[in-house]
C-alpha cells in the first residue's frame, strides 16, 4: 500500500503525493514505527542542561522522555516511564534532580536510569532484581551540542545518519565559542499533518503570497526583498535537505539592516572581522551573509537567517501536531545584539509574528480541505528541471521537498517489504 503513495516521475517533470498520506490514521500509525522509531530525532541542546542533575522533559516522536545531565557530566535520554507500572517518573518540564521518583508507587531512579529504591522491596523474591528494572533508554548521539535519540538498534550511527548535514550544523555552532538555547520556548498546536509542517519549514514558494505582509514591512523599512533571488537547494542525503538564499533582512550574527540603528554597525563589523580571521573569507561569508533553512529528516528544521530558530514537531494524530521552537544564540552575545536577535525572532517566528500565524492558518486550511477528498494528488513538481544542479535552483523551487518525500517513501516501502514475505522473496 505504502509503495503507491508517491508518484515519482522526476525525469518527466512530475512528482506527486497522494493526499491519503496526510489523512489516513492507518498511515500515521505506520509512520510511528517505520519513520519515527527508526530515525534519529532531535531531543534538545546540551546548553539546556549545563550542570549535573539538570533535566528537561518533553515528547519526542510520541515518546515522553527525560534529557538529563549525569553526575559524570554525560547527557542521557531516558524514557519517562516507570519500570513498575508505566507511570511517569518526572512530571515537571525542567529542573534539577538528584533522582527521579514515580508518583504512583514511589519507585526511585538515579539520574543514570538505574533503579535505586523500591518501597517494600522485602516482599519481592525469586528472579526480581533492581538491576533488571531500570528506566528504558533509547540510543543517544550528539553533534556540536545538538542531542538526538533513536529507538532502533539497526539505524546507522548519528554521524552517518546526518552525513553532510553536519556541515550545516557546524556553520551554526562555529558562530561563537559557545552557543546556547535562550530561556523559554514557543509551543503551539497546528491542526495539520506533520509532513505538511515539515514541507512548510523549507518551502520558499509560499513566501511571496503567504507572507506578503512581512515582505511589505521589510520594504517599508528599506530592505530590497527582491535582491539575489536565486539560491541553492542541495540534497544532503537520508532525507535531509537545505535551502540557501539571501533574504535581505538583518542577521544578528554580522549583517546590518537598514531598520537597525547605526550604533550597532560597529558591533556587527567587529563580529564579522573576528569570523573572517578565524575561518577565512569563504566560510565566514557563508556564516554571515548566506541565509539558510536546514531540514533534518523527519521533523527538525533549523532556520539560520533573521535569527537562529530550532523547531521540531511531535505528531499527535494524522491531523494534529505540536510544534516547539527555541532560539539559539552566542553565549557571549552583548545586550544590543541579543535584543536585535530576539526582536528578529519575535517579529517573524514569534506567537504574534508575521510568519507563524500565517503558516498555521495556511496549514490548518489545507488539512481541513483534505476532508473533501476531492483531490487525489498533491503536487511537488516545481523545479524538477534543475533538480540535479542545486546551484541554479530558484528560491521557490521544491527540490528539497522531493528529497524529503523520497526518504519517507523509502522508509514506508521498507515496512511493506518486512510485512510481506512474498516481496522479501522477490527482492532476494
Amino acid at each position: 500500500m505504502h509503495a503507491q503513495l508517491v508518484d515519482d516521475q522526476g525525469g518527466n517533470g512530475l512528482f506527486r503525493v497522494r493526499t491519503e498520506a496526510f489523512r489516513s490514521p492507518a498511515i500515521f500509525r505506520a509512520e510511528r514505527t517505520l519513520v519515527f522509531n527508526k530515525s534519529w530525532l532531535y531531543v534538545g541542546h546540551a546548553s539546556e542542561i549545563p550542570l549535573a542533575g539538570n533535566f528537561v522533559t518533553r515528547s519526542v516522536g510520541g515518546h515522553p522522555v527525560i534529557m538529563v545531565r549525569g553526575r559524570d557530566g554525560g547527557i542521557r535520554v531516558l524514557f519517562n516511564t516507570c519500570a513498575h507500572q508505566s507511570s511517569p517518573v518526572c512530571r515537571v518540564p525542567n529542573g534539577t534532580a538528584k533522582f527521579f521518583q514515580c508518583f504512583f508507587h514511589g519507585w526511585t531512579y538515579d539520574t543514570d536510569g538505574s533503579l535505586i529504591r523500591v518501597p517494600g522491596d522485602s516482599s519481592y523474591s525469586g528472579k526480581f532484581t533492581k538491576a533488571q528494572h531500570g528506566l528504558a533508554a533509547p540510543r543517544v548521539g550528539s553533534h556540536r551540542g545538538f542531542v538526538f535519540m533513536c529507538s532502533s538498534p539497526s539505524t546507522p550511527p548519528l554521524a552517518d545518519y546526518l552525513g553532510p548535514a553536519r556541515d550545516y550544523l557546524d556553520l551554526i555552532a562555529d558562530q561563537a565559542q559557545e552557543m546556547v538555547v535562550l530561556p523559554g520556548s514557543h509551543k503551539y498546536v497546528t491542526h495539520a499533518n506533520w509532513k505538511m509542517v515539515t514541507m512548510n519549514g523549507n518551502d520558499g514558494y509560499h513566501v511571496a503570497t503567504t507572507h506578503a505582509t512581512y515582505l511589505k514591512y521589510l520594504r517599508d523599512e528599506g530592505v530590497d526583498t527582491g535582491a539575489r533571488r536565486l539560491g541553492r537547494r542541495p540534497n544532503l542525503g537520508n532525507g535531509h535537505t537545505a535551502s540557501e538564499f539571501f533574504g535581505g533582512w538583518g542577521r544578528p550574527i554580522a549583517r546590518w539592516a537598514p531598520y537597525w540603528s547605526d550604533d550597532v554597525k560597529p558591533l556587527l563589523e567587529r563580529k564579522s572581522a573576528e569570523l573572517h580571521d578565524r575561518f577565512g573569507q569563504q566560510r565566514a561569508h557563508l556564516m554571515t551573509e548566506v541565509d539558510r533553512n536546514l531540514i533534518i529528516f523527519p521533523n527538525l528544521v533549523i532556520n539560520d537567517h533573521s535569527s537562529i530558530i530550532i523547531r521540531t514537531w511531535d505528531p499527535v494524530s494524522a491531523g494534529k501536531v505540536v510544534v516547539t521552537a527555541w532560539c539559539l544564540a552566542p553565549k557571549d552575545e552583548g545586550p544590543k545584539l541579543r535584543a536585535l536577535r530576539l526582536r528578529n525572532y519575535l517579529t517573524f517566528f514569534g506567537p504574534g509574528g508575521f510568519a507563524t500565524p500565517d503558516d498555521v492558518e495556511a496549514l490548518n486550511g489545507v488539512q481541513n480541505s483534505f476532508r473533501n477528498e476531492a483531490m487525489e494528488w498533491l503536487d511537488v513538481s516545481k523545479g524538477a528541471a534543475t533538480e540535479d544542479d542545486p546551484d541554479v535552483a530558484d528560491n521557490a523551487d521544491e527540490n528539497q521537498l522531493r528529497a524529503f518525500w523520497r526518504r519517507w517513501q523509502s522508509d514506508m516501502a521498507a515496512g511493506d517489504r518486512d510485512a510481506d514475505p512474498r516481496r522479501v522473496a522477490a527482492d532476494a
Side-chain angles (χ1 to χ4, degrees):
M1 177 185 70
H2 302 134
Q4 303 171 2
L5 293 172
V6 175
D7 180 22
D8 183 355
Q9 301 180 39
N12 296 323
L14 181 65
F15 191 102
R16 312 184 292 177
V17 181
R18 288 191 188 274
T19 56
E20 180 187 1
F22 302 90
R23 297 182 282 105
S24 167
I27 291 174
F28 175 77
R29 289 191 296 270
E31 288 172 333
R32 289 285 201 194
T33 301
L34 301 176
V35 176
F36 284 88
N37 285 356
K38 294 186 178 180
S39 299
W40 283 96
L41 306 176
Y42 177 76
V43 181
H45 194 268
S47 65
E48 297 180 79
I49 49 172
L51 303 175
N54 289 170
F55 69 86
V56 296
T57 62
R58 51 193 49 147
S59 182
V60 178
H63 299 290
V65 300
I66 307 168
M67 182 175 74
V68 58
R69 177 84 66 170
R71 281 187 287 272
D72 59 359
I75 293 177
R76 295 174 175 83
V77 177
L78 309 170
F79 289 122
N80 193 5
T81 304
C82 181
H84 178 221
Q85 293 185 7
S86 296
S87 178
V89 299
C90 186
R91 299 186 297 150
V92 295
N94 56 69
T96 302
K98 294 182 179 179
F99 52 80
F100 300 111
Q101 186 175 75
C102 174
F103 170 74
F104 198 8
H105 294 97
W107 282 33
T108 305
Y109 301 85
D110 199 346
T111 54
D112 65 4
S114 59
L115 180 61
I116 57 178
R117 180 177 178 273
V118 175
D121 58 355
S122 61
S123 299
Y124 289 91
S125 61
K127 294 183 178 180
F128 177 89
T129 65
K130 290 189 181 74
Q132 295 176 332
H133 287 79
L135 296 176
R139 297 165 61 195
V140 179
S142 66
H143 181 76
R144 304 298 300 275
F146 297 91
V147 180
F148 295 79
M149 59 171 264
C150 182
S151 298
S152 170
S154 62
T155 300
L158 177 65
D160 296 337
Y161 182 83
L162 292 176
R166 289 178 294 168
D167 297 337
Y168 286 80
L169 295 177
D170 291 342
L171 284 172
I172 295 170
D174 285 339
Q175 291 180 21
Q177 294 295 334
E178 184 177 356
M179 300 294 288
V180 296
V181 167
L182 300 183
S185 63
H186 175 201
K187 181 177 288 189
Y188 55 97
V189 172
T190 300
H191 292 282
N193 187 271
W194 70 271
K195 297 183 291 298
M196 285 299 301
V197 181
T198 301
M199 291 174 63
N200 176 253
N202 205 358
D203 167 26
Y205 196 11
H206 77 286
V207 174
T209 48
T210 307
H211 303 315
T213 304
Y214 179 64
L215 297 179
K216 181 179 184 302
Y217 158 76
L218 290 177
R219 289 192 292 270
D220 290 345
E221 294 288 346
V223 175
D224 181 4
T225 60
R228 285 186 266 174
R229 179 176 174 78
L230 289 178
R232 297 185 71 247
R233 291 291 184 272
N235 180 350
L236 305 178
N238 289 334
H240 317 317
T241 61
S243 56
E244 298 172 312
F245 54 96
F246 180 83
W249 44 64
R251 285 175 60 86
I253 180 63
R255 188 173 79 203
W256 185 80
Y259 50 89
W260 289 347
S261 60
D262 289 338
D263 64 339
V264 301
K265 258 188 176 181
L267 302 177
L268 294 167
E269 291 170 353
R270 188 179 309 127
K271 180 66 175 177
S272 179
E274 291 172 358
L275 293 173
H276 277 77
D277 288 342
R278 287 177 60 197
F279 299 105
Q281 181 176 355
Q282 182 177 3
R283 185 169 177 79
H285 174 79
L286 289 174
M287 297 168 69
T288 60
E289 295 295 328
V290 178
D291 302 300
R292 64 187 60 85
N293 294 329
L294 171 67
I295 286 183
I296 302 294
F297 184 90
N299 67 328
L300 170 65
V301 169
I302 301 180
N303 306 104
D304 179 15
H305 41 78
S306 59
S307 193
I308 303 177
I309 311 302
I310 303 170
R311 288 190 294 159
T312 188
W313 22 94
D314 190 45
V316 178
S317 67
K320 182 178 180 181
V321 61
V322 177
V323 182
T324 307
W326 301 266
C327 185
L328 189 72
K331 184 177 182 180
D332 61 356
E333 191 170 52
K336 288 186 177 180
L337 294 184
R338 179 63 56 81
L340 288 180
R341 182 178 300 275
L342 292 174
R343 171 185 168 183
N344 269 17
Y345 170 41
L346 294 172
T347 299
F348 191 65
F349 289 106
F354 282 103
T356 298
D358 287 343
D359 287 333
V360 171
E361 177 68 16
L363 297 177
N364 288 356
V366 168
Q367 196 70 26
N368 186 58
S369 293
F370 281 151
R371 296 165 52 204
N372 287 327
E373 301 186 18
M375 189 174 74
E376 182 181 3
W377 296 99
L378 180 146
D379 185 81
V380 196
S381 300
K382 193 173 189 303
T386 64
E387 186 165 317
D388 295 330
D389 191 350
D391 293 319
V392 300
D394 188 276
N395 193 36
D397 284 348
E398 297 172 329
N399 302 354
Q400 69 281 8
L401 305 185
R402 291 189 289 276
F404 165 85
W405 278 108
R406 287 175 179 133
R407 170 57 191 260
W408 180 88
Q409 165 72 4
S410 175
D411 285 355
M412 298 296 281
D416 282 346
R417 288 192 295 270
D418 292 344
D420 187 346
R422 294 169 299 177
R423 183 172 296 177
V424 173
D427 289 347

